[in-house]
Amino acid sequence: MRIARFSHQDAIRYGIVDETDLVVLAGDPLFAGFETTGVRVPLADAALLAPVIPRSKVVAIARNYRDHAAELGNEVSSEPMLFLKPNTSVVGPGDTIVLPPQSQRVDHEGELAAVIGTIAKNVPAERALDYVFGYTIANDVTARDLQKTDGQWSRAKGFDTFCPLGPAIETEFDLAGGAVITTRVDGQVRQQGPIADMVHSVAEIIAYASAAFTLLPGDVILTGTPAGVGPIAAGQTVEVEITGLGVLRNPARSA
């Protein structure tokens, strides 16, 4: 089942994607379930929004693909390397990535994102996927120069608009189904790699993170990016595609 958050007639709603329509839900499915209202809205008449706005945090993992770690001259960590992005960095499909004046190099990082559906604390890896509501696409936008000079990553990863999510949440995504992440800039392929190449699995990441802090419904887990990260410039459009999840498309402009 594919769940979208959307705007229609000045109201924000949730719906189940049914081919060319949205079947409107009675409320946020993370808390109200999948009760429908009987109303259908054509997708063409709706504006898709970020499918979730995390209540507390976006948890991300660095260097989770060996080839990406190598391209930046880094080693792969024996344990997941976590950092946080603020929920104010989240934007939706079609929204603009704003390139801040503080940075001279902003990079794209296409990633698989897991959306937490149930409060998770000290979750064992063998049960960790039970706490996932579904999966979507993310772009972990990064001010690469600030990441290097700051020594810690909060600013470089946390600017407003630096976490596009979407276009929808797929509740039945198959992690073992051979899905591939592809990132394009103005149609040119920059990144491409199977999610099977992750060093630490989604379950391992959730278990590791939940041992440190409680994960809440709506929290988003970014699972790392394959090789090929590179700069984006004002006027360009970034597309991140994951097999089975669709395409997340965002233009970039200067602040």
Side-chain angles (χ1 to χ4, degrees), residues 98-136:
V98 179
L99 309 178
Q102 298 94 324
S103 175
Q104 300 305 306
R105 173 164 172 166
V106 174
D107 285 6
H108 59 77
E109 296 189 12
E111 308 198 8
L112 173 70
V115 180
I116 298 297
T118 305
I119 294 174
K121 177 62 180 174
N122 292 323
V123 173
E126 58 268 24
R127 292 197 295 111
L129 298 185
D130 295 340
Y131 292 79
V132 175
F133 177 76
Y135 298 87
T136 190

Side-chain angles (χ1 to χ4, degrees), residues 96-108 141-143 159-162 231-236 238 251-255:
T96 299
I97 298 167
V98 179
L99 309 178
Q102 298 94 324
S103 175
Q104 300 305 306
R105 173 164 172 166
V106 174
D107 285 6
H108 59 77
V141 182
T142 304
F159 281 97
D160 291 353
T161 76
F162 270 28
I232 53 179
Q236 293 184 318
V238 184
R253 67 167 174 85
S254 297

Side-chain angles (χ1 to χ4, degrees), residues 10-255:
D10 297 322
I12 295 176
R13 303 176 181 179
Y14 295 84
I16 300 169
V17 180
D18 182 18
E19 296 184 351
T20 60
D21 286 348
L22 289 158
V23 180
V24 179
L25 295 170
D28 183 343
L30 277 166
F31 302 95
F34 299 106
E35 179 184 355
T36 60
T37 63
V39 176
R40 299 176 73 94
V41 174
L43 267 169
D45 294 342
L48 294 184
L49 307 174
V52 62
I53 300 294
R55 270 62 176 181
S56 64
K57 55 193 171 293
V58 177
V59 181
I61 179 170
R63 305 172 191 171
N64 201 31
Y65 288 76
R66 294 186 189 279
D67 52 358
H68 169 58
E71 74 177 344
L72 296 182
N74 297 312
E75 298 292 330
V76 172
S77 174
S78 60
E79 296 182 333
M81 185 177 179
L82 302 180
F83 61 92
L84 301 177
K85 293 171 78 86
N87 59 7
T88 48
S89 66
V90 172
V91 291
D95 289 339
T96 299
I97 298 167
V98 179
L99 309 178
Q102 298 94 324
S103 175
Q104 300 305 306
R105 173 164 172 166
V106 174
D107 285 6
H108 59 77
E109 296 189 12
E111 308 198 8
L112 173 70
V115 180
I116 298 297
T118 305
I119 294 174
K121 177 62 180 174
N122 292 323
V123 173
E126 58 268 24
R127 292 197 295 111
L129 298 185
D130 295 340
Y131 292 79
V132 175
F133 177 76
Y135 298 87
T136 190
I137 302 172
N139 187 352
D140 177 20
V141 182
T142 304
R144 192 70 67 200
D145 51 352
L146 302 184
Q147 183 184 27
K148 294 177 179 178
T149 59
D150 285 3
Q152 55 77 36
W153 300 357
S154 296
R155 183 167 68 132
K157 298 278 192 175
F159 281 97
D160 291 353
T161 76
F162 270 28
C163 190
L165 296 175
I169 298 172
E170 176 56 66
T171 62
E172 299 172 10
F173 181 68
D174 182 6
L175 288 172
V180 172
I181 301 173
T182 303
T183 303
R184 305 179 188 88
V185 176
D186 286 348
Q188 179 182 3
V189 174
R190 293 272 191 89
Q191 295 179 272
Q192 192 163 65
I195 65 171
D197 283 355
M198 288 183 193
V199 176
H200 306 288
S201 70
V202 176
E204 290 168 341
I205 296 166
I206 292 172
Y208 188 83
S210 74
F213 37 72
T214 302
L215 301 174
L216 301 179
D219 282 355
V220 174
I221 311 291
L222 308 188
T223 60
T225 194
V229 299
I232 53 179
Q236 293 184 318
T237 296
V238 184
E239 296 177 328
V240 183
E241 180 175 3
I242 299 181
T243 314
L245 296 180
V247 179
L248 172 65
R249 184 179 293 106
N250 298 92
R253 67 167 174 85
S254 297

